[in-house]
C-alpha cells in the first residue's frame, strides 16, 4: 500500500510532508526527553530492518500477492520510536526499490506511521485490563496488529478513490479497489497473527523489551 | 480475397462522401510499417497488472492525456507514438492506487517507414489517394499495423540478484546501527 510517485496531486504530497514532518518533530522531541535516548535505538533499528525487508517478501493471496507492513507490531514494541522507524524504512524502500516514492514519502509515512503511534497508545491503555485474562495479551496484540493495518488500508483506499481521479474507466478502478480491499482484509488477519506471535515471544524471552 | 475485403468499406466510404471528385471510381488502401511502443506492467512479485489504466502524454504537452487505454490480461499495452513529436513520451500505468510512470524516448532512432500501396481498383485520379491521417490517435492505434518493438524490455526493473544484494546491504545498515548502539559504553 505504498503510494507511488506521480499519481498524487502536488497539494496532497505537500500536505503529507507537513503532517509527517510535524509528527516526526514531535516524536523526536519526545525521544530526546527520555533518560537515555539511544537506549531503544538497537531495538528500533532491528524492527526497521524487518519493516524494510518485508516489502520484498510477497505472500501469494489470490488473485494478487501481498506483503506485510508490520506497523502495528512496530507501534506496540517501539512506542514513540515507531514513527521515525517507519519514515526511515519507507525512505530506503523508495530509494532502493522504487517502492513508494520520494514525493509521496510524506503521505506514505503519515498513512503507516500515525496508525503505528495509535497502536502504541491503544496497547498501553488496554494492557492492564488484558493481563487479567488468559491469552488477553495475545488477543489484544492480534486486534491491535490487525486494526492498525486496516486503518492504514482505509486511509490508502480513501486517498486512492478521492485524490487520484479515474482516468479511463471508473467502474474498472472501483472493482480493482474492491479486490484490493479483500486482500487487505486477509492481510490484516495475517498481520494480527504475526504481531500476536512476536509479542508473545518477546514477552516470554525478553520482557524488558516490551516496556517502552 | 484480401483485396476485396479491404477494398469494399473504403469503396463504400468514398462513394458515400460527396466531397470527392465525381470521376473517382477507384479506391486506394495503403499501409506502412511504423514503430509502436509496447508497455509491460507488472507488480514487484512478477504478476502482470491486468486491466490497469494507461495514460500516455506527448513530450510537448505533459499535462493533457494524448491517449488513454487499458492493459490486457498480460499487463501489456501497445501504442503508436506520433513520430513527429520527438522526445520523452510519458506513460502512466495505475491500478487501485498503485502504479508507475515511465518515459519512453521516441525520435532518436529514425524509424524506417516502408510504404506499400495496394490498389483495389484502377484509380483515375491521384486525388483519391487516402492518406492515413494522424488526427485521431485512438483510431491510428487501432488501424495501423504495428511493428511491436519488443526484442528486449527496457525500464527500471532490477534483476533478482541486484535486488537481493541491495536488500542485504540495506539490512546490514540497520543491523550495523543496532550493533553500534549496543556497544559497551566505556
Amino acid at each position: 500500500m505504498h503510494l507511488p510517485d506521480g499519481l498524487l496531486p502536488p497539494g496532497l504530497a505537500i500536505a503529507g510532508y507537513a503532517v509527517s514532518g510535524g509528527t516526526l518533530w514531535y516524536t523526536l522531541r519526545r525521544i530526546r526527553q527520555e533518560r537515555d535516548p539511544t537506549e531503544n535505538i538497537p531495538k528500533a533499528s532491528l524492527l526497521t530492518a524487518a519493516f524494510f525487508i518485508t516489502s520484498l517478501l510477497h505472500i501469494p493471496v489470490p488473485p494478487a500477492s501481498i506483503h506485510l507492513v508490520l506497523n502495528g507490531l512496530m507501534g506496540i514494541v517501539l512506542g514513540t520510536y515507531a514513527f521515525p522507524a517507519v519514515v526511515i524504512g519507507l525512505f530506503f524502500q523508495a530509494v532502493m526499490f522504487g517502492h513508494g516514492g520520494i514525493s509521496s514519502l510524506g503521505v506514505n509515512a503519515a498513512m503507516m506511521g500515525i496508525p503505528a503511534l495509535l497502536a502504541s497508545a491503544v496497547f498501553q491503555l488496554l494492557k492492564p485490563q488484558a493481563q487479567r485474562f488468559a491469552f488477553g495479551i495475545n488477543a489484544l496484540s492480534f486486534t491491535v496488529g490487525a486494526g492498525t493495518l486496516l486503518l492504514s488500508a482505509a486511509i490508502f483506499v480513501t486517498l486512492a478513490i478521492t485524490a487520484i481521479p479515474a482516468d479511463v474507466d471508473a467502474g474498472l478502478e472501483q472493482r480493482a479497489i474492491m479486490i484490493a480491499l479483500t486482500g487487505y482484509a486477509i492481510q490484516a488477519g495475517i498481520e494480527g497473527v504475526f504481531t500476536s506471535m512476536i509479542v508473545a515471544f518477546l514477552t516470554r524471552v525478553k520482557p524488558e523489551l516490551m516496556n517502552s | 480475397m484480401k483485396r476485396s475485403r479491404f477494398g469494399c468499406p473504403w469503396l463504400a466510404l468514398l462513394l458515400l462522401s460527396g466531397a470527392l471528385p465525381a470521376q473517382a471510381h477507384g479506391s486506394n488502401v495503403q499501409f506502412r510499417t511504423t514503430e509502436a511502443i509496447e508497455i509491460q506492467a507488472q507488480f514487484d512479485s512478477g504478476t502482470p497488472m491486468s486491466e490497469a489504466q494507461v495514460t500516455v502524454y506527448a513530450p510537448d504537452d505533459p499535462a493533457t492525456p494524448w491517449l488513454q487505454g487499458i492493459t490486457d490480461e498480460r499487463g501489456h499495452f501497445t501504442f503508436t507514438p506520433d513520430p513527429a513529436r520527438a522526445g520523452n513520451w510519458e506513460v502512466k500505468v495505475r491500478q487501485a492506487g498503485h502504479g508507475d510512470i515511465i518515459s519512453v524516448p521516441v525520435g532518436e532512432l529514425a524509424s524506417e517507414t516502408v510504404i506499400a500501396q495496394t490498389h483495389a481498383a484502377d484509380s483515375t485520379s491521384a486525388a483519391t489517394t487516402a492518406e492515413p491521417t494522424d488526427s485521431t490517435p485512438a483510431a491510428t492505434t487501432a488501424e495501423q499495423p504495428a511493428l511491436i518493438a519488443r526484442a528486449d524490455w527496457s525500464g527500471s526493473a532490477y534483476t533478482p540478484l541486484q535486488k537481493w544484494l541491495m536488500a542485504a546491504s540495506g539490512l546490514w545498515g540497520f543491523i550495523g546501527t543496532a550493533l553500534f548502539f549496543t556497544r559497551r559504553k566505556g
Side-chain angles (χ1 to χ4, degrees), chain A residues 47-66:
Chain A
L47 266 175
T48 311
F51 175 80
F52 168 75
I53 206 75
T54 44
S55 80
L56 292 181
L57 305 174
H58 300 281
I59 303 167
V61 173
S65 72
I66 56 159

Side-chain angles (χ1 to χ4, degrees), chain B residues 39-127:
Chain B
I39 300 298
Q40 186 195 39
Q42 55 185 25
F43 292 106
D44 285 348
S45 52
T47 46
M49 284 178 82
S50 57
E51 295 191 321
Q53 315 212 5
V54 185
T55 314
V56 181
Y57 298 92
D60 49 353
D61 188 6
T64 46
W66 183 78
L67 174 67
Q68 292 183 323
I70 288 165
T71 57
D72 62 10
E73 69 275 7
R74 294 177 306 142
H76 289 207
F77 179 77
T78 307
F79 71 99
T80 312
D82 187 350
R85 297 161 98 172
N88 284 326
W89 289 68
E90 303 281 334
V91 183
K92 184 171 87 177
V93 182
R94 51 162 297 210
Q95 185 181 51
H98 293 100
D100 200 4
I101 291 184
I102 59 164
S103 68
V104 182
V106 171
E108 271 88 284
L109 302 160
S111 58
E112 293 173 7
T113 50
V114 183
I115 296 185
Q117 297 194 344
T118 316
H119 291 274
D122 54 324
S123 56
T124 51
S125 151

